[in-house]
Amino acid sequence: MQMAQKPLKNTQIIIQSFVNSPIPEKLLPFADSDAINATLAKFGVAMYMQTGHSPSGWTDTNRILTVMEDQLTPFFKDPVAYATHAAIIQIFLTFNVQPHLKDPEAFITGVQKLGQQHGAIMNAENFDIDQLNVIAGFDQPADLPEVKYAAERGIKISRRDDYFMTMKRPEELPHANRVGKYEWKTVTAERITKEGFWFALDLVKLKKDLTASHVYDMPTPIFIALVTTFYASMYADAIETPKRWAAPALEDLFQKARRDLPKSAFKRYWRAIDLVVDGLRYQRNRRMSWKVR
């Protein structure tokens, strides 16, 4: 019985995480927290009773739409209440279910038709998860120069409770194959990129805590993206790891960045890399001092 209840418990945890996130404040400002909690709790139990699964297992679009319609039935005669409750369920599903569906378009069309029947208009933007992530503050706008620069190199920095990195497979991105005696390797490329991400977080924590919106005169996620991208680019272009970073490769990378980034973004990049070099130098000096002792 306890194992059978586990998906319901997971559903409750996911709902609570959603409620406690910035999403309701940013995307559902017209709904109070009690209404959001009650609506999703009831919907979550109904979906569990229908499927026996937590949200990642809600894969039957027709069943989702049927349960949604049932949950909205009490509000048919109140257009405002109907639109509010429909929006609560739709936003929750867009974040937690839509990405897992084989045919998300069928889900989007079905929810839109369901809303239209009772005057609740849901535009395509309501289901645009990338844009919703930006509005909720999880991601930076994709058209920012630094974000585009990182994305072109396979890196995206996001934040939920903590910062995390999404990276493309390094072998799918442009890279040198051999420089001198050094050969490019996928496993090393992945390790160096992750090393850059973690070092960026360490640099943030030296200045402020990770909840700070800005650090070193730039948005915190932009700083993390620039540092991570620097590590990845030094290995991709020159097959150099931090222990072997050399002036010629650094100069080449700076010239490329100067060409690819607008002036203000390049200044941020320069600032981020300067902090990386100083941070690594400080670490090495501490190690050497410890050895001498």
Side-chain angles (χ1 to χ4, degrees):
M1 182 68 176
Q2 187 174 2
M3 287 297 293
Q5 293 274 322
K6 188 175 180 180
L8 179 58
K9 182 67 175 177
N10 289 342
T11 300
Q12 293 166 342
I13 291 171
I14 292 167
I15 290 172
Q16 202 56 50
S17 177
F18 175 89
V19 170
N20 293 335
S21 77
I23 297 171
E25 179 185 352
K26 300 287 187 179
L27 298 171
L28 297 166
F30 46 82
D32 62 61
S33 58
D34 288 342
I36 295 172
N37 261 311
T39 301
L40 293 180
K42 189 175 180 183
F43 182 78
V45 169
M47 283 300 299
Y48 168 73
M49 296 299 291
Q50 284 287 323
T51 67
H53 294 291
S54 58
S56 62
W58 299 352
T59 56
D60 187 329
T61 295
N62 289 331
R63 187 168 290 180
I64 293 170
L65 295 174
T66 298
V67 173
M68 188 173 179
E69 186 173 23
D70 288 345
Q71 296 296 303
L72 295 173
T73 298
F75 311 107
F76 280 179
K77 295 182 179 181
D78 185 339
V80 174
Y82 182 91
T84 298
H85 287 79
I88 292 170
I89 296 172
Q90 178 262 308
I91 291 293
F92 175 80
L93 291 173
T94 294
F95 274 96
N96 293 285
V97 176
Q98 184 178 314
H100 307 298
L101 296 175
K102 290 182 178 179
D103 187 1
E105 288 302 320
F107 162 76
I108 293 170
T109 301
V111 173
Q112 287 176 322
K113 288 181 178 178
L114 197 62
Q116 288 168 0
Q117 292 173 7
H118 299 278
I121 305 302
M122 299 181 187
N123 298 321
E125 289 80 5
N126 295 69
F127 302 87
D128 185 341
I129 190 66
D130 291 335
Q131 186 60 30
L132 294 178
N133 276 325
V134 171
I135 296 171
F138 296 146
D139 293 335
Q140 295 290 299
D143 59 354
L144 286 180
E146 299 93 335
V147 175
K148 290 173 66 176
Y149 185 78
E152 288 165 359
R153 288 150 185 81
I155 292 166
K156 179 180 179 181
I157 303 299
S158 302
R159 183 183 178 188
R160 297 298 184 268
D161 294 328
D162 300 306
Y163 283 103
F164 65 94
M165 173 180 62
T166 306
M167 58 185 291
K168 290 183 180 177
R169 296 289 300 168
E171 65 270 22
E172 297 173 0
L173 299 165
H175 61 80
N177 291 314
R178 177 180 289 275
V179 176
K181 66 178 181 179
Y182 295 102
E183 183 179 349
W184 186 92
K185 296 180 180 178
T186 298
V187 65
T188 307
E190 291 178 339
R191 176 175 62 82
I192 294 301
T193 303
K194 292 174 183 176
E195 186 177 318
F197 172 72
W198 289 113
F199 192 64
L201 297 185
D202 287 342
L203 288 173
V204 172
K205 288 184 284 188
L206 281 174
K207 187 75 172 176
K208 298 182 178 180
D209 64 58
L210 289 173
T211 62
S213 63
H214 284 67
V215 67
Y216 302 113
D217 302 319
M218 67 187 85
T220 302
I222 293 296
F223 175 77
I224 296 170
L226 290 177
V227 171
T228 306
T229 302
F230 172 66
Y231 271 70
S233 297
M234 283 294 289
Y235 188 74
D237 294 352
I239 316 186
E240 290 187 4
T241 61
K243 290 182 179 179
R244 295 189 295 101
W245 284 346
L250 286 166
E251 179 61 26
D252 285 346
L253 184 58
F254 285 150
Q255 292 305 321
K256 291 177 182 177
R258 190 190 299 273
R259 179 196 66 208
D260 295 340
L261 289 167
K263 188 175 181 179
S264 60
F266 177 73
K267 284 183 176 179
R268 287 177 170 178
Y269 187 73
W270 181 277
R271 170 74 168 144
I273 304 323
D274 191 45
L275 287 162
V276 169
V277 174
D278 283 348
L280 289 175
R281 185 183 296 120
Y282 175 74
Q283 281 189 351
R284 288 167 184 165
N285 288 340
R286 285 192 64 186
R287 291 193 197 104
M288 289 178 66
S289 174
W290 180 257
K291 288 179 181 177
V292 169
R293 293 177 189 175

